[in-house]
Amino acid sequence: MSTLREIDNRINVGEIFSRKQLMEMFKISGQSGIMKTNALNCLVLITSENNGVYADSGIENGTIMYTGEGLRGDQQLNKNNKSIYESKQTGLPMYLFSKDKARNYIFEGKVELCGVPYQITEKDKEGNDRLVWKFPLKIIYSEDVDLNEDDRLQQVANEVARIEEEIEENIEQDTIELKEGTLKIRKYRRTGIRQKRTSKPDYIAEEIIKSKQGIINETTIFKQERKRLLEEGANEQVEKMDEFFENKKENEGFDVLSFEKDENGEYKEKYIEVKSTKENEGTPIDITSNEIEFAKEHVKDYYLYRIVNSNTNQRYLKIVTGEELFSNYSFIPTSFKIYSK
């Protein structure tokens, strides 16, 4: 019988399998979207590509929001849902496969829980409201992967490098030349025959680029602000900018610390949140509750830097002050987290 180590050495990201091959490889049976194999002590997660990116999961900022099992009624935190919930503590390996319309099973990679699972209200199979569990997952990429041996990762790395190389040139020209990357590069491998899929983009690779692009957007704004302050001779403020940007945490509430002069000519803090949208200014912006609270607390020193039309030649930077943000924009909640009392 195969071991997980043998499976890891044999299976490639992007490789396609029939259901029979999948069942034989992992020693599993049944039709569930989440299947646990006791023989190998791992979970096999299935997600469908029909009706959108995935029918039972989506991708947010590089994170796969995987929906728990249970088609009718409220989903319970038991059985396989509980196994995913506790996977960080138990070290249970998880393998993600996406199923296309032809019932091919494509290996997306090994995944791990990367955030706190939560519940939201969605429709069940019969159209009734019910609570479902969402599990934030991320693809595990080995640190010792040889990019030269993996076409998919190599092309992702090349695209990221190309975008990064443009930063310095853009800063020197005082321009905003940013583009959210999309790639159609997935190649499937099976029995030595390479099959190329052209009908859909590679969503996982695209999210890698978008996640990296967010960092690049922030870096571009940071360097523009830093350049301005250096030209003004504000060396002390630049040091504070550098220290914050190099050591900032995920929950800071803003992306870039900068400074500007007040009416007395003294430097005061300038808190910048960087967002980009592919389309015009009417496109909604995703923002967290933590970011909103920070903006409220520092409204007079808060700025939203919007990169609009980010994937066209008409992209431009729109700067919104904190006061304009709360007077000219509406805030509409689109998801909630539910905690037991």
Side-chain angles (χ1 to χ4, degrees):
M1 182 176 68
S2 298
T3 65
L4 284 184
R5 181 181 294 275
E6 291 171 341
I7 290 175
D8 289 342
N9 290 334
R10 188 172 78 240
I11 189 171
N12 296 307
V13 171
E15 192 170 358
I16 17 180
F17 299 88
S18 67
R19 184 171 186 84
K20 181 179 179 181
Q21 289 172 321
L22 199 64
M23 301 300 104
E24 290 176 350
M25 181 166 54
F26 286 97
K27 309 302 177 186
I28 50 181
S29 60
Q31 301 293 320
S32 175
I34 306 174
M35 293 171 281
K36 186 174 183 181
T37 163
N38 292 324
L40 296 175
N41 193 31
C42 70
L43 282 178
V44 175
L45 312 180
I46 308 297
T47 184
S48 172
E49 288 190 353
N50 300 337
N51 303 320
V53 178
Y54 298 123
D56 55 359
S57 66
I59 300 179
E60 301 175 5
N61 299 320
T63 301
I64 302 165
M65 309 308 295
Y66 190 84
T67 304
E69 66 179 359
L71 298 177
R72 298 179 180 83
D74 293 344
Q75 291 183 351
Q76 305 300 314
L77 194 59
N78 56 17
K79 299 181 179 178
N80 290 330
N81 288 341
K82 184 178 180 181
S83 294
I84 299 178
Y85 190 92
E86 297 176 344
S87 60
K88 269 291 190 182
Q89 288 73 39
T90 61
L92 186 69
M94 297 187 289
Y95 295 76
L96 178 66
F97 292 81
S98 59
K99 180 177 68 174
D100 62 18
K101 292 180 180 180
R103 298 185 65 80
N104 294 314
Y105 292 81
I106 303 97
F107 181 48
E108 299 289 357
K110 293 180 72 173
V111 295
E112 65 180 6
L113 201 63
C114 63
V116 179
Y118 59 92
Q119 289 180 290
I120 64 172
T121 300
E122 287 186 354
K123 300 290 185 183
D124 66 11
K125 193 172 184 180
E126 297 173 349
N128 300 315
D129 286 342
R130 50 81 175 263
L131 289 176
V132 301
W133 277 98
K134 293 288 184 179
F135 299 99
L137 305 176
K138 69 176 181 180
I139 303 288
I140 303 171
Y141 293 100
S142 174
E143 294 182 357
D144 59 359
V145 168
D146 184 353
L147 295 179
N148 294 320
E149 295 298 322
D150 192 310
D151 294 335
R152 181 171 183 260
L153 290 181
Q154 178 64 68
Q155 292 190 51
V156 172
N158 289 343
E159 178 68 6
V160 170
R162 183 193 65 76
I163 295 172
E164 288 180 319
E165 287 174 0
E166 293 180 352
I167 293 179
E168 293 299 332
E169 180 181 349
N170 296 336
I171 298 302
E172 291 300 319
Q173 296 176 356
D174 288 326
T175 60
I176 296 293
E177 293 292 338
L178 303 174
K179 184 175 181 180
E180 294 184 5
T182 56
L183 300 176
K184 295 185 178 181
I185 63 173
R186 172 182 287 157
K187 293 178 181 172
Y188 299 145
R189 293 184 288 261
R190 183 175 59 180
T191 63
I193 302 173
R194 181 164 298 179
Q195 304 181 40
K196 186 174 182 181
R197 183 181 195 194
T198 58
S199 60
K200 289 191 179 185
D202 186 336
Y203 293 110
I204 299 298
E206 185 174 327
E207 284 301 316
I208 296 171
I209 299 299
K210 286 171 65 177
S211 177
K212 188 71 175 179
Q213 185 70 62
I215 298 173
I216 292 171
N217 291 348
E218 296 170 16
T219 303
T220 301
I221 298 302
F222 165 75
K223 290 190 174 182
Q224 286 185 334
E225 290 288 308
R226 190 178 189 276
K227 180 184 177 185
R228 174 181 61 82
L229 288 171
L230 283 174
E231 290 173 350
E232 295 175 6
N235 296 328
E236 180 181 345
Q237 284 71 26
V238 168
E239 288 182 8
K240 292 179 180 178
M241 282 187 66
D242 292 345
E243 182 179 358
F244 173 82
F245 198 73
E246 292 171 5
N247 300 293
K248 68 176 178 177
K249 302 178 178 62
E250 286 293 326
N251 60 350
E252 295 285 1
F254 66 105
D255 297 318
V256 176
L257 172 65
S258 185
F259 294 85
E260 65 179 0
K261 291 182 179 179
D262 61 18
E263 60 274 11
N264 298 318
E266 300 292 331
Y267 280 106
K268 64 174 183 176
E269 286 84 359
K270 179 179 181 181
Y271 305 107
I272 300 174
E273 177 67 26
V274 182
K275 299 288 186 182
S276 70
T277 50
K278 292 183 179 180
E279 299 176 0
N280 59 35
E281 291 183 27
T283 307
I285 306 170
D286 291 327
I287 191 168
T288 67
S289 58
N290 180 56
E291 290 168 347
I292 293 174
E293 288 305 313
F294 184 90
K296 287 180 179 178
E297 293 173 6
H298 303 84
V299 65
K300 293 186 181 298
D301 304 311
Y302 182 90
Y303 294 84
L304 174 66
Y305 277 42
R306 288 195 65 184
I307 300 167
V308 186
N309 296 326
S310 64
N311 65 338
T312 73
N313 292 330
Q314 288 76 44
R315 69 183 66 87
Y316 60 92
L317 179 65
K318 179 179 177 62
I319 299 176
V320 181
T321 67
E323 293 172 330
E324 290 171 338
L325 179 65
F326 289 104
S327 61
N328 300 339
Y329 290 78
S330 299
F331 293 80
I332 301 174
T334 58
S335 65
F336 299 87
K337 293 186 191 240
I338 301 173
Y339 298 91
S340 58
K341 294 182 179 180

